[in-house]
Amino acid sequence: MSILTLNLHQARLINLEAQGLLTPPISPATKTDVLNAIRRMGVLQIDTIHVVARSPYFVLFSRVGNYQPGWLDELQAEKSILEQWAHEASFIPVEDYPLHRQRTLEGSRRAYFHGWAVENWEKVTAVLDAVQNNGAMRSADFKTEKHPGGWWNWKFEKAALEYWFNEGKLLVVKRENFQRIYDLHERVFPDWNDSLLPTANEVYRQLIFKTVRALGVARPAWIADYFRVNKKTAASLLPELINSGQVCEVAVDGWAEPALYLPEQEALFHAAIEGRLEPSHTTLLSPFDPLVWDRARTRQLFNFDFSIECYLPAEKRIYGYFPLPILHNGELIGRLDAKAHRKEGFFEIKSVYFEKKINPTKEMVNALVNAVTTCAAWHKTPQVVLSRCDPSEFEPLLRSALAAFG
C-alpha cells in the first residue's frame, strides 16, 4: 500500500491548522474558544515572565484573538483545566487528567525534591498538615522568609508545597495574582479512585496520539518532547501503533524517514495536497508557544532557528530578552523584541528582525503592524513605539505603516 506524500510547505500548513494558527480567529472570542484552544494543543505551558503578557495568556491570544484573560483563571477555578507537569508546568484539559495523574503517581517528578524532603520530613509533613487543617493555602500564607539559593530562591514552605504537588497529594486549585493556591487532592476530587487509572502503557499510547494530533504531522524524533515522554518509551511503542494502523506514515520531501499522522486527520492531508489550505494569519507568538518550543522541530519544519534568550546572559543574546516569533501567512518571517509598559500605556517594539530570506512587502508590513497594534490594544498599552528595525532599510516602511494605523 502506497503512503501519502507531502512537500514541506504542505506539512507546514497541516501543522499550523492542527495548532489553530492557519487562519485568523473568529471574533468575538468566547470562553469556550479558550478552552477549545487548550484542548486542541493538549497542553498550555506556564511561564511567569511578563515583559509582555505571561506566556499562557499570550499563546491563547495568538489563537483566539482579543479575549478576556480572566477566562483562563475562571476555567481553572471551574476545574475545566488543571495544572500539571506535562511539557513543563502546564495547563491541561481536565479530561486528560487521568493520564497525567498516572505519571505523577509513577514518580515522574520525584527526583526533584525527594532527597531534600526525606532530610526535612517532619517540617515537610507539617506543611501538608497545615493545608489539611486550614484549607487551601498559598505559599504567602506561611509567614517565613525566603532563603537565598536553593530551589528558585523559594522559602521552605513553597518547596514543600511543590513537593506534595509533585507527589499528587496537593493540586493547584486556582491562582491569585498568578500565585498558586494549593489544596488536598481528596478535597478537589472527593470521589476520585486511583485504581481506575489507565495503565502506564495506555497512558503513553494516548500521549503519543495526542502529540501527533496536536502537531498534525510529526517526525518520530519530535514525539517525546511534546509531553516530555521518555524517548525510549515513545520509540518502543511506535512500531506497534504503526503496524496496527492506529498511526499512519506519510512521506515528506527532503525527510529521510516517514512522518506520522492519525487516520482521523487524513482529510486534512488531502486538503493540503489539493491546495485547499490557505494560510492567512499574521500574529506574534510567545517564545513558549508549542509551535516553536522544540528548536529542532521549528528548524526542520519552518527553516527558522529559534531559541528562548531570556535565560541567557545579556551579552549572549542576539535578538533581545524576549523575542517573539512573527508568524505571517504560514511562514515564520522574523522576531520582534517587545515590552508592554502597562503603567505608561505604551507597547515598545525594541527591535524587529526580519529573516534574511524575507523581503518585506507593504502587504506583509501592514499585516505585521495590524498584528502588533491588535496585540498592544489587548495588553491595554495602545500606543506603539518602534526603536529599531533590522534590516534598517525596511524601517521607514514599518514606521509609515505604524503611523497609518496610529
Side-chain angles (χ1 to χ4, degrees):
M1 177 180 175
S2 62
I3 65 174
L4 294 172
T5 299
L6 303 172
N7 60 39
L8 184 59
H9 177 68
Q10 292 163 347
R12 185 183 298 164
L13 297 184
I14 290 167
N15 176 242
L16 288 167
E17 174 62 19
Q19 281 284 314
L21 288 167
L22 187 71
T23 57
I26 297 172
S27 182
T30 67
K31 187 162 71 171
T32 299
D33 294 328
V34 171
L35 179 57
N36 287 339
I38 298 170
R39 285 173 169 158
R40 192 171 192 167
M41 293 180 286
V43 57
L44 177 61
Q45 184 176 339
I46 299 168
D47 193 87
T48 60
I49 297 172
H50 61 292
V51 291
V52 290
R54 287 187 173 94
S55 183
Y57 301 96
F58 203 100
V59 169
L60 291 168
F61 168 79
S62 301
R63 287 160 175 78
V64 302
N66 187 2
Y67 75 100
Q68 297 179 31
W71 289 341
L72 182 65
D73 309 304
E74 290 175 14
L75 288 170
Q76 183 177 24
E78 295 162 6
K79 295 190 287 191
S80 296
I81 59 174
L82 294 173
E83 290 192 35
Q84 288 288 285
W85 289 100
H87 178 74
E88 293 286 342
S90 305
F91 293 110
I92 55 127
V94 68
E95 59 266 24
D96 292 350
Y97 178 56
L99 305 177
H100 298 282
R101 174 71 174 173
Q102 176 64 274
R103 296 185 76 191
T104 296
L105 297 182
E106 284 178 4
S108 61
R109 295 281 299 178
R110 192 158 290 151
Y112 284 81
F113 292 96
H114 185 68
W116 168 86
V118 170
E119 292 173 3
N120 298 277
W121 190 248
E122 186 174 342
K123 292 172 64 178
V124 169
T125 303
V127 170
L128 184 63
D129 290 342
V131 178
Q132 172 78 62
N133 296 330
N134 299 323
M137 298 185 74
R138 304 167 299 162
S139 169
D141 294 326
F142 296 89
K143 307 302 182 183
T144 56
E145 299 296 323
K146 291 183 180 179
H147 299 289
W151 295 99
W152 296 279
N153 201 28
W154 285 342
K155 64 185 183 183
F156 182 94
E157 289 83 0
K158 170 62 176 174
L161 289 167
E162 286 295 305
Y163 168 78
W164 291 117
F165 174 68
N166 288 352
E167 289 291 308
K169 295 290 187 181
L170 296 180
L171 284 174
V172 178
V173 290
K174 61 180 179 176
R175 286 179 178 251
E176 291 181 357
N177 298 320
F178 215 65
Q179 301 300 306
R180 281 176 158 181
I181 299 178
Y182 306 80
D183 203 354
L184 297 178
H185 185 277
E186 63 205 54
R187 278 204 290 252
V188 178
F189 292 119
D191 299 322
W192 190 266
N193 185 347
D194 282 331
S195 69
L196 301 178
L197 289 174
T199 65
N201 187 66
E202 183 59 23
V203 165
Y204 292 109
R205 287 163 51 90
Q206 290 300 322
L207 291 177
I208 289 173
F209 294 147
K210 288 182 177 297
T211 297
V212 177
R213 183 180 296 113
L215 295 178
V217 58
R219 299 183 75 164
W222 299 346
I223 288 175
D225 174 76
Y226 203 80
F227 287 105
R228 294 291 164 86
V229 173
N230 179 276
K231 291 181 180 180
K232 290 183 178 179
T233 299
S236 69
L237 290 172
L238 284 177
E240 173 210 337
L241 299 179
I242 293 169
N243 291 336
S244 66
Q246 295 175 80
V247 174
C248 300
E249 294 185 320
V250 57
V252 179
D253 294 344
W255 292 358
E257 61 182 347
L260 306 173
Y261 70 97
L262 297 186
E264 67 193 53
Q265 294 175 301
E266 188 159 315
L268 177 60
F269 282 66
H270 288 292
I273 292 168
E274 295 163 10
R276 291 186 284 111
L277 294 185
E278 297 185 7
S280 57
H281 191 27
T282 301
T283 192
L284 305 176
L285 302 174
S286 164
F288 303 101
D289 194 292
L291 192 77
V292 297
W293 71 33
D294 183 331
R295 185 172 183 176
R297 167 161 51 89
T298 306
R299 184 172 57 248
Q300 292 162 10
L301 194 52
F302 288 92
N303 192 25
F304 188 77
D305 196 3
F306 180 73
S307 61
I308 299 170
E309 299 193 15
C310 52
Y311 301 121
L312 296 175
E315 64 274 12
K316 292 188 177 181
R317 295 177 195 142
I318 300 173
Y319 299 108
Y321 180 75
F322 207 67
L324 310 172
I326 303 168
L327 175 67
H328 172 67
N329 291 355
E331 292 188 79
L332 294 173
I333 64 169
R335 301 157 176 82
L336 187 147
D337 187 27
K339 180 175 174 62
H341 298 267
R342 296 169 181 83
K343 289 183 180 180
E344 298 84 355
F346 74 94
F347 190 89
E348 180 185 6
I349 304 174
K350 294 185 173 183
S351 55
V352 179
Y353 298 90
F354 289 105
E355 291 287 275
K356 288 183 171 58
K357 63 184 178 181
I358 296 298
N359 183 19
T361 63
K362 185 175 181 180
E363 178 275 332
M364 181 185 292
V365 170
N366 284 341
L368 171 58
V369 168
N370 181 60
V372 171
T373 54
T374 302
C375 181
W378 177 68
H379 275 86
K380 296 183 170 52
T381 53
Q383 182 184 357
V384 179
V385 177
L386 171 65
S387 296
R388 67 183 293 266
C389 174
D390 182 14
S392 59
E393 57 262 35
F394 298 118
E395 188 170 320
L397 185 61
L398 193 55
R399 290 192 182 280
S400 175
L402 280 168
F405 273 84

